[in-house]
Amino acid sequence: MKAIGENILKLRKDKNLTQENLASMIGVSTQTVSKWENSTNMPDITLLPIIADVFEVTIDELFGRNGRAECCDPNEVFDITCDDLLRNIIKSGENGEEHSVEELLEHFKSCLDDPRTRTGIFNKNVVYYRKKCGGLLLKKPEKGWRSLLTDDRVSSVLKILCDEDFRKALDYIIKNHNTDFTIASLCSKCAIADGEGLARNFEQSELFNKKQIDIGSETVTVYEMCRGDRLFLIFAILTYAVEFDEYECWYTNYRYNGNYYFD
């Protein structure tokens, strides 16, 4: 974000005003305007609406903030983020000067209507984009991509997500906004036979707290969702599992040629 003084200078020149003109319109001295533009002094807060009104801009714009980038409808965040990702993908390519980035962006987005269309930048890092599932940015692991194939932590996570009972129970919990439940109640609602296996996966997933409730004659184990933030990662894994299953390459004769990108 530029200093407010730089923006006042730019806005003044865009309006073809001299420092004297601007000073008289605001009701300050020319020296004051000069100090603003040189960033020697900042305008008093009470003057900001007046200065913004002179330039016919918002106070945010006076400070150099782009309204759309700084504040947008939450429902638009996904599309805005994907557009920015696509712009950077386009800028990274050899596009020449025949078309602007914005023109190429619109062309690119129209091509993405084909469900097979994907783009990626594979180097030390990976950027993957598809209209259906948005964008994915991955930084290369310190030990390289291949290290993921033999990482035991990957196996334990995938084992949990491969368990149909775990996914079925999680679906029921989210759908019904359950906060507290027992393994027995879930097994009953979801027709799950292996309660011990479900409890084991619940604990390994670290999504839940386990509490012992004393009800007098006995103690009941109650689970509660405590790490709902981890669900985003679970759904990201599942999204790309489906993406892998649906993947269709345009180049039917493509074969891995042993390039170094995934070392």
Side-chain angles (χ1 to χ4, degrees), residues 42-112:
M42 287 275 291
D44 187 274
I45 191 171
T46 57
L47 292 177
L48 294 179
I50 300 172
I51 299 171
D53 187 56
V54 167
F55 292 128
E56 300 177 315
V57 298
T58 66
I59 293 178
D60 272 353
E61 290 171 318
L62 191 62
F63 277 93
R65 296 192 182 107
N66 183 302
R68 184 174 177 84
E70 295 289 327
C71 181
C72 63
D73 185 331
N75 294 320
E76 297 177 359
V77 169
F78 181 82
D79 291 334
I80 293 171
T81 303
C82 286
D83 283 358
D84 285 343
L85 175 58
L86 271 176
R87 282 190 184 90
N88 285 310
I89 290 174
I90 290 168
K91 289 177 182 178
S92 72
E94 299 281 340
N95 296 310
E97 299 180 356
E98 185 176 348
H99 301 286
S100 69
V101 169
E102 292 302 314
E103 288 173 332
L104 289 169
L105 173 64
E106 292 307 312
H107 172 69
F108 206 151
K109 287 165 68 175
S110 68
C111 292
L112 287 172

Side-chain angles (χ1 to χ4, degrees), residues 224-256:
E224 64 176 357
M225 178 79 76
C226 66
R227 293 298 307 276
D229 53 320
R230 293 169 72 94
L231 287 173
F232 292 106
L233 295 174
I234 285 179
F235 286 120
I237 295 169
L238 297 176
T239 294
Y240 282 92
V242 173
E243 175 70 357
F244 179 85
D245 182 66
E246 294 179 349
Y247 191 91
E248 180 182 353
C249 186
W250 280 36
Y251 306 102
T252 55
N253 63 344
Y254 176 82
R255 60 184 294 274
Y256 175 65

Side-chain angles (χ1 to χ4, degrees), residues 9-193:
L9 174 61
K10 180 181 184 304
L11 290 166
R12 176 175 66 78
K13 290 187 174 181
D14 289 345
K15 287 282 189 180
N16 293 317
L17 297 172
T18 64
Q19 288 185 341
E20 291 80 2
N21 295 148
L22 179 59
S24 63
M25 293 171 74
I26 298 173
V28 297
S29 68
T30 303
Q31 289 80 5
T32 295
V33 172
S34 177
K35 287 180 180 179
W36 292 344
E37 294 183 351
N38 291 326
S39 297
T40 304
N41 286 335
M42 287 275 291
D44 187 274
I45 191 171
T46 57
L47 292 177
L48 294 179
I50 300 172
I51 299 171
D53 187 56
V54 167
F55 292 128
E56 300 177 315
V57 298
T58 66
I59 293 178
D60 272 353
E61 290 171 318
L62 191 62
F63 277 93
R65 296 192 182 107
N66 183 302
R68 184 174 177 84
E70 295 289 327
C71 181
C72 63
D73 185 331
N75 294 320
E76 297 177 359
V77 169
F78 181 82
D79 291 334
I80 293 171
T81 303
C82 286
D83 283 358
D84 285 343
L85 175 58
L86 271 176
R87 282 190 184 90
N88 285 310
I89 290 174
I90 290 168
K91 289 177 182 178
S92 72
E94 299 281 340
N95 296 310
E97 299 180 356
E98 185 176 348
H99 301 286
S100 69
V101 169
E102 292 302 314
E103 288 173 332
L104 289 169
L105 173 64
E106 292 307 312
H107 172 69
F108 206 151
K109 287 165 68 175
S110 68
C111 292
L112 287 172
D113 287 331
D114 188 316
R116 298 174 300 171
T117 302
R118 299 168 175 84
T119 186
I121 299 172
F122 301 91
N123 205 326
K124 293 182 178 179
N125 302 317
V126 170
V127 177
Y128 178 86
Y129 184 91
R130 186 184 180 197
K131 187 173 184 179
K132 182 177 179 180
C133 57
L136 174 72
L137 300 174
L138 294 175
K139 187 170 180 62
K140 185 177 181 179
E142 185 177 346
K143 295 181 180 179
W145 297 111
R146 289 186 298 106
S147 65
L148 296 173
L149 298 173
T150 54
D151 192 321
D152 290 339
R153 293 172 299 176
V154 173
S155 299
S156 62
V157 172
L158 293 181
K159 184 177 179 180
I160 293 172
L161 295 180
C162 282
D163 186 83
E164 185 178 352
D165 286 346
F166 176 83
R167 299 198 310 274
K168 188 191 301 183
L170 196 57
D171 176 63
Y172 179 84
I173 292 166
I174 295 171
K175 178 181 177 181
N176 294 282
H177 307 287
N178 285 36
T179 55
D180 297 86
F181 46 85
T182 65
I183 293 296
S185 67
L186 273 181
C187 288
S188 174
K189 292 288 186 180
C190 302
I192 294 173

